[in-house]
Amino acid sequence: MTSKSSKEPGHLSRVKMPLSFFSRNFTVYRVLLFCVLFVTQSQLYSQNSDKSISVNYVENDDFIIDGVLDEAMWEQAIPTGDFTEYFPTDSKPAEYQTELRMLYNEGFLYIAVKGYAPGKNYKTPSYERDFSISGADIVNLMFDTYSDRTNAFLFGINPFGVEREGVIYRGGVTGDLDLNWNTKWKGESQIYDGYFISELKIPMSAFKFKAGITKWKFSAMRSDTQSNTKSSWSRVPQNQNQLNLGYFGDLIFEKPLQKTRNPISVIPYVTPSFTNRNYEGEKSFDFKAGFDAKIPIKSSLMLDLTVLPDFSSDDVVSGTNNVTQFEIKQDETRLFFIDNGDLFNGFGNTDNALPFYSRRVGFAKDKEGQDVVVPLSVGAKFTGKINNKLRIGILDVQTEEDKGEYIPSNNNLIIAAEQKVFNKSNISMFFINRQATNFNEESSGTEYNRVAGTDFNFFSKNNSVDGKAFFHKSFTPGIDGDAISAGTDLNVEKRTYSLGLTTQYVDNGFVSDLGYIKRSDILRANPSVKYNLYPKSDAINTIIFSGSYNGYWRASGGNDLREGYTALGAEINFTSGALVSLTGNKNYEYLYTPFDPVGAKGNGEPVPVGGYNTIDFDLDFNTDKRKAFWLEGTATYGSFYTGDKFSADVTFQYRYQPLFFVSVQIQYDDIKLPEPYSSGQIWYLGPTLNVTFSKTLFFNTDVQYSSQSDSFLLVSRLQWRYAPLSDVFLTFTDTDNTNPFELVERGLYLKVTYWLDINRRK
């Protein structure tokens, strides 16, 4: 993505603010003030829904999961429905209703879904498990088994019987959902005239809950592409996310739930491979083997182990152009770090100061400061709930040394705890330790880096108000001083408006080797506001006006303004699902060192030290994703340092349901600076082809070309799911330099995994 930092030539003097305004005492005062505000606000919001479902107990297990409700036991289920429309309105019953039935015994939860629709033209992007639901039909069933409105299990199924499961975290306020959580269950669907039926059988051991209880929190949501509506079992206002746990109702069981014994899961793998490392002049056949294991401790704690992990079958990390002076944060794709990752990755500020950023594990810097991949040898993760209020997590990974790059082996440890307070808020604490296990005077980096801190996370009962206050401190050899990162965040979401305020302080000496620190030596203030209009129109759903200011002042040396970004915008959301928005940005950026935004391909001198005032405009858009062909993207034009810049980031996708879809992401930056500074055109192309042969056989190819790094990457993967959660992957990779075109590395990997459940006696 391209930067919204500055563009028109500006004066070279610095903008100053009064020192007293940004004193540390004021920062501490603001933290305390918001803590008091959060507690006060918690008394002002009452629970939204008192809706409930009664679930009857059945003795036998004579269900055939086929989407045909012909078993006599279903007569014992109490049907419930009355779904409320969420989109395009949120104030009337859904025109095409959804009916739910549930039964249970000690072993399983049985669910029947009957969804009415105007026809049979249902949509799905593919038959692949955990599919994207954008522009697709889906019913999601969500279970908050501890009734703490913090985390929930999600099971989804569509009219074609394609399954998805995941874990909702952070209260679902912003739609936080981890689809990398896996468990064995069964679901099938049948399509009839005017409706479809889905039948699900979920082991009770798939859930975590306290024995003896009779009630969970529950909700369900449905997307119906034919009527172009979204609906919820428990009403959710349109300004809130449908995953928001604050709007769940009750799931009431006829008899107290019995303690379950989750199976021990062992997932061994073998990976024979052939690699041509052309840059080293070596070709080799390799054989790698290892395993993952999931060992339940009681009913609510889990020990995950990984030995010699292999990531050859994981998703490809998307590339991007970078014309900013900052590192770009990328998504984690390694499953060991993703599962329950919210417990470790949610500390601090996600935009600017994350104390733990899991993609750092497995990477190190050599003597020249360049990133180098280092293998992981073993890892362990212990997560779960001690009781209904205390959640804990321990993640420990050992990385191997690289003698050629003078990188020592390292132990990477994070310990986290989350204590529920008030109705649904929490206080969380963590300790991070990156410790070199064979450090010597030739080793790169430092012998250790440690970070400790605490976060207070506030959520009102229905999540319409949320906030955060955090305080972190790092300990690094050779760095004295405060080494502190602290901040606050407050968000108010109402139907017609939303307000936000973020403040932050990051000391110049704050370092987290396992974190993402985009800026240090800063004081930050970021107020924002949105106003929502709901016109009575068949074509337009909402119109949103927004405004924000994001300012960064230098924490030392007089509190000079480093960066300031003012944005005013308007967004139109159409009932078809299309969107268009226009934002005007007035920016200021001070360069403390010369900077060449073109990068290594620059053909002139870098932009000199100084302050730059710029103006640009952003156009964002997407078309109706229910269509076979859709596109979305952003285009930006305006001044840029001493010249101007045009940027575009557009994705096209065509879907031939359900056999395949092909998408192409194109990023383009055209930077024009007057001589003697660098100018140039930068391209990134990212085509993807996904083919679905059946519900068990898939083929995917990703291509990435970057003119900025002169690199070409091709990754093709054939996946066969030959048994539940067990796969065979055949992956081909090709990495090349493009200027001149030259092979860097080519590999062929065959990975076989098997998910073995070992049942334990009660």
Side-chain angles (χ1 to χ4, degrees):
M1 301 292 289
T2 53
S3 167
K4 294 182 181 177
S5 54
S6 17
K7 295 118 210 182
E8 184 181 294
H11 57 83
L12 301 185
S13 62
R14 306 188 193 181
V15 178
K16 294 191 175 184
M17 296 295 290
L19 179 60
S20 60
F21 180 78
F22 295 107
S23 67
R24 293 184 186 179
N25 290 337
F26 184 80
T27 303
V28 174
Y29 165 77
R30 192 173 288 256
V31 172
L32 296 175
L33 176 62
F34 280 129
C35 288
V36 174
L37 177 60
F38 296 160
V39 175
T40 303
Q41 287 282 356
S42 67
Q43 309 302 319
L44 301 181
Y45 295 89
S46 59
Q47 181 53 42
N48 169 267
S49 176
D50 55 0
K51 201 170 184 180
S52 64
I53 296 178
S54 296
V55 186
N56 286 337
Y57 184 89
V58 290
E59 294 288 347
N60 54 25
D61 186 25
D62 296 333
F63 290 84
I64 299 174
I65 306 303
D66 54 5
V68 181
L69 305 182
D70 53 0
E71 294 88 0
M73 290 81 72
W74 283 118
E75 296 297 326
Q76 303 178 43
I78 302 174
T80 183
D82 298 325
F83 274 56
T84 302
E85 194 170 290
Y86 171 80
F87 176 89
T89 70
D90 60 1
S91 57
K92 67 177 184 179
E95 180 179 359
Y96 293 91
Q97 278 292 327
T98 308
E99 188 178 275
L100 304 176
R101 287 179 171 86
M102 295 192 200
L103 296 167
Y104 80 107
N105 54 34
E106 292 184 10
F108 298 93
L109 176 66
Y110 307 93
I111 306 170
V113 179
K114 186 175 184 180
Y116 293 91
K120 293 185 177 182
N121 189 25
Y122 302 102
K123 292 180 172 59
T124 183
S126 75
Y127 284 154
E128 190 170 3
R129 194 183 186 106
D130 292 338
F131 61 95
S132 168
I133 64 171
S134 181
D137 286 273
I138 185 67
V139 174
N140 285 320
L141 307 162
M142 300 165 287
F143 304 87
D144 177 3
T145 57
Y146 280 91
S147 300
D148 59 5
R149 303 188 185 277
T150 302
N151 298 86
F153 297 96
L154 178 146
F155 293 87
I157 194 166
N158 70 5
F160 302 94
V162 186
E163 303 166 353
R164 66 199 304 257
E165 70 274 318
V167 177
I168 303 169
Y169 57 96
R170 295 186 191 132
V173 179
T174 56
D176 293 313
L177 173 65
D178 176 10
L179 288 173
N180 293 285
W181 175 75
N182 290 309
T183 191
K184 290 183 179 179
W185 61 286
K186 187 174 183 180
E188 290 292 346
S189 299
Q190 294 285 343
I191 296 175
Y192 303 88
D193 288 333
Y195 63 93
F196 70 90
I197 290 178
S198 297
E199 205 170 5
L200 296 80
K201 179 181 180 180
I202 305 173
M204 294 300 288
S205 60
F207 302 99
K208 293 180 176 62
F209 56 88
K210 186 177 179 180
I213 63 174
T214 59
K215 185 170 67 174
W216 294 349
K217 290 295 182 182
F218 170 81
S219 192
M221 52 185 279
R222 179 185 171 195
S223 176
D224 178 19
T225 60
Q226 296 177 83
S227 64
N228 190 29
T229 59
K230 296 179 181 179
S231 57
S232 295
W233 173 76
S234 182
R235 180 182 176 272
V236 181
Q238 197 174 104
N239 65 299
Q240 299 287 339
N241 195 286
Q242 274 187 291
L243 298 182
N244 192 324
L245 274 64
Y247 295 90
F248 281 28
D250 292 328
L251 195 67
I252 302 173
F253 296 94
E254 181 182 4
K255 297 168 57 177
L257 298 177
Q258 300 300 309
K259 181 179 179 180
T260 60
R261 293 284 286 178
N262 297 342
I264 296 174
S265 299
V266 181
I267 309 103
Y269 81 86
V270 293
T271 306
S273 62
F274 169 76
T275 307
N276 178 5
R277 298 179 179 87
N278 191 60
Y279 65 98
E280 294 179 346
E282 294 183 359
K283 298 180 181 179
S284 63
F285 288 93
D286 299 301
F287 182 86
K288 187 176 181 181
F291 71 90
D292 294 331
K294 295 179 175 293
I295 305 172
I297 310 296
K298 296 186 177 180
S299 61
S300 58
L301 296 167
M302 179 70 72
L303 174 63
D304 291 89
L305 300 175
T306 184
V307 177
L308 299 176
D310 176 79
F311 304 116
S312 62
S313 61
D314 289 348
D315 292 337
V316 178
V317 178
S318 298
T320 184
N321 290 346
N322 186 5
V323 296
T324 76
Q325 57 179 316
F326 305 108
E327 174 192 11
I328 293 178
K329 182 164 63 71
Q330 295 179 306
D331 293 334
E332 177 64 86
T333 60
R334 299 170 296 178
L335 296 184
F336 179 76
F337 294 99
I338 294 175
D339 192 11
N340 278 319
D342 67 289
L343 187 58
F344 306 104
N345 293 305
F347 294 98
N349 181 279
T350 57
D351 295 330
N352 197 67
L354 281 173
F356 184 74
Y357 172 48
S358 61
R359 282 189 58 83
R360 293 278 188 247
V361 181
F363 291 84
K365 292 191 179 295
D366 59 16
K367 285 286 190 180
E368 285 71 41
Q370 301 297 316
D371 284 332
V372 177
V373 177
V374 291
L376 279 59
S377 55
V378 65
K381 181 170 54 178
F382 183 67
T383 56
K385 288 198 171 186
I386 300 296
N387 53 50
N388 197 40
K389 291 188 176 183
L390 178 60
R391 185 180 179 212
I392 64 168
I394 302 173
L395 174 64
D396 193 12
V397 177
Q398 182 72 31
T399 57
E400 299 178 8
E401 68 175 330
D402 188 330
K403 293 182 179 179
E405 298 293 345
Y406 303 100
I407 297 172
S409 58
N410 279 276
N411 184 264
N412 307 272
L413 170 70
I414 176 172
I415 302 172
E418 183 180 281
Q419 174 69 40
K420 181 180 176 182
V421 295
F422 307 125
N423 190 331
K424 56 180 299 186
S425 305
N426 65 73
I427 295 175
S428 54
M429 295 174 287
F430 70 89
F431 173 73
I432 300 170
N433 184 41
R434 195 276 305 159
Q435 179 77 51
T437 54
N438 59 344
F439 190 81
N440 58 57
E441 60 182 12
E442 293 185 343
S443 299
S444 61
T446 58
E447 184 176 2
Y448 67 85
N449 171 252
R450 296 167 186 147
V451 187
T454 183
D455 289 34
F456 171 59
N457 298 284
F458 169 80
F459 300 95
S460 64
K461 287 186 178 181
N462 61 6
N463 290 341
S464 62
V465 179
D466 67 88
K468 168 181 280 195
F470 65 89
F471 182 88
H472 306 159
K473 181 173 175 57
S474 67
F475 306 87
T476 310
I479 296 180
D480 298 322
D482 292 337
I484 287 171
S485 172
T488 63
D489 192 33
L490 177 64
N491 300 287
V492 179
E493 289 282 348
K494 296 296 184 181
R495 179 174 174 80
T496 56
Y497 68 90
S498 62
L499 302 171
L501 178 61
T502 299
T503 65
Q504 193 176 4
Y505 166 76
V506 184
D507 189 74
N508 194 41
F510 183 79
V511 176
S512 180
D513 289 350
L514 298 182
Y516 174 77
I517 312 302
K518 190 173 183 179
R519 299 173 178 88
S520 59
D521 190 22
I522 62 160
L523 288 161
R524 178 190 180 194
N526 178 205
S528 61
V529 60
K530 288 184 179 180
Y531 182 71
N532 307 320
L533 293 177
Y534 301 89
K536 295 181 179 180
S537 168
D538 292 335
I540 297 176
N541 181 249
T542 56
I543 300 175
I544 303 173
F545 298 97
S546 62
S548 66
Y549 177 76
N550 196 4
Y552 298 88
W553 289 263
R554 192 175 184 182
S556 62
N559 299 114
D560 305 321
L561 181 65
R562 291 178 46 165
E563 302 165 60
Y565 307 100
T566 303
L568 294 173
E571 174 183 308
I572 301 175
N573 292 278
F574 298 92
T575 53
S576 66
L579 173 152
V580 62
S581 71
L582 181 65
T583 304
N585 305 285
K586 184 178 185 299
N587 313 304
Y588 173 82
E589 182 176 353
Y590 191 92
L591 293 179
Y592 289 89
T593 59
F595 171 61
D596 190 341
V598 183
K601 299 175 69 66
N603 56 4
E605 297 180 7
V607 179
V609 170
Y612 299 87
N613 286 299
T614 60
I615 295 176
D616 64 29
F617 295 90
D618 289 341
L619 176 66
D620 295 278
F621 57 89
N622 68 256
T623 62
D624 185 352
K625 292 187 178 180
R626 296 174 301 157
K627 304 295 185 183
F629 175 80
W630 58 263
L631 62 91
E632 64 180 354
T634 300
T636 304
Y637 179 75
S639 52
F640 186 70
Y641 295 112
T642 60
D644 55 60
K645 176 173 69 71
F646 171 77
S647 298
D649 184 354
V650 182
T651 297
F652 305 84
Q653 179 169 302
Y654 175 76
R655 173 180 65 197
Y656 186 77
Q657 178 179 311
L659 296 179
F660 73 89
F661 71 81
V662 58
S663 66
V664 180
Q665 181 185 10
I666 301 175
Q667 293 184 17
Y668 172 70
D669 290 282
D670 184 10
I671 298 173
K672 295 180 179 179
L673 303 180
E675 294 184 354
Y677 309 122
S678 290
S679 296
Q681 297 176 334
I682 302 172
W683 289 88
Y684 171 82
L685 302 177
T688 296
L689 171 66
N690 183 281
V691 181
T692 302
F693 298 104
S694 68
K695 291 182 182 179
T696 59
L697 187 62
F698 319 102
F699 175 75
N700 188 84
T701 293
D702 288 287
V703 178
Q704 296 182 7
Y705 164 71
S706 171
S707 68
Q708 190 173 32
S709 60
D710 289 326
S711 64
F712 174 87
L713 173 67
L714 169 69
V715 179
S716 290
R717 183 179 65 218
L718 181 68
Q719 177 186 357
W720 173 35
R721 176 146 287 186
Y722 65 93
L725 300 180
S726 305
D727 300 280
V728 175
F729 299 95
L730 182 62
T731 305
F732 172 77
T733 66
D734 184 278
T735 305
D736 303 275
N737 291 325
T738 59
N739 189 23
F741 196 88
E742 181 181 22
L743 175 66
V744 175
E745 183 173 306
R746 185 171 292 154
L748 184 65
Y749 306 86
L750 176 65
K751 182 177 180 180
V752 182
T753 71
Y754 181 71
W755 187 296
L756 173 65
D757 281 341
I758 304 172
N759 293 315
R760 301 178 293 169
R761 293 181 180 179
K762 291 187 177 181

